[in-house]
Amino acid sequence: EVQLVESGGGLVQPGRSLKLSCAASGFTFSNYGMAWVCQAPTKGLEWVASISTGGGNTYYRDSVKGRFTISRDNAKNTLYLQMDSLRSEDTATYYCARHGSGYWYFDFWGPGTMVTVSS
Amino acid sequence: IQLTQSPSLLSASVGDRVTLSCKGSQNINNYLAWYQQKLGEAPKLLIYNTNSLQTGIPSRFSGSGSGTDYTLTISSLQPEDVATYFCYQYNNGLTFGSGTKLEIK
């Protein structure tokens, strides 16, 4: 059974940093592209970043370029999101998601971790 | 590509045939998926590539469309289908629609 479990969320002040993790199990992690998707409170979904199977290719939405870094450790079956220079508008639930094989849709999601940026 | 979903709120009766719409600002080339999100839960993939049913999803869910216009149909609405439904395109960039909230009348 595919499982994705995020951790690392919490309350952080504007301008500070936070690192999210996503532990994957139930599938061959290194065979799949992975992503982070966020959802602000009572709002819709927004793709944040994606990473290729080996980690050599990364992709970001414009609003996080230069502030967020997606990475992965295939030996540990873990996906990461380093979030720097956080802003109040980054407040959201962050979901770890698996890309469908060969495609850019998301076929499995974790339960999410909440990030609140506030002073 | 911007996605516009309609209606934003839909109220229907158990057993009804329900149709949700998603319209793109440009051609999506069938790279369109649908997600169901129940309150307090993560989204769940229902349909990908316009009309492919994800494993484990009931056959009352189906997708169709082409070009800029796409549809999710629930053939016979069940109480457990109460949720918000999002369309998502992956043809040019990666964007979600704003969602349709489905309620039981």
Side-chain angles (χ1 to χ4, degrees), chain B residues 14 27 29-30 39 58 69 82-83 95:
Chain B
V14 172
N27 188 354
N29 285 315
N30 293 115
L39 195 62
D69 295 325
V82 169
T95 51

Side-chain angles (χ1 to χ4, degrees), chain A residues 4-68:
Chain A
L4 300 169
V5 180
E6 304 90 341
S7 60
L11 175 63
V12 61
Q13 293 179 330
R16 303 298 288 266
S17 298
L18 205 62
K19 187 171 185 176
L20 306 183
S21 299
C22 171
S25 61
F27 65 103
T28 304
F29 182 68
S30 58
N31 285 353
Y32 289 85
M34 298 294 297
W36 291 96
V37 179
C38 73
Q39 186 171 34
T42 70
K43 300 293 186 183
L45 298 159
E46 284 191 337
W47 166 75
V48 175
S50 292
I51 188 167
S52 60
T53 54
N57 294 303
T58 56
Y59 311 87
Y60 300 92
R61 68 178 298 110
D62 287 346
S63 62
V64 307
K65 281 181 184 175
R67 300 190 300 123
F68 290 9

Side-chain angles (χ1 to χ4, degrees), chain B residues 49-60:
Chain B
N49 294 348
T50 296
N51 56 17
S52 295
L53 190 67
Q54 173 69 344
T55 302
I57 301 302
S59 58
R60 64 179 180 274

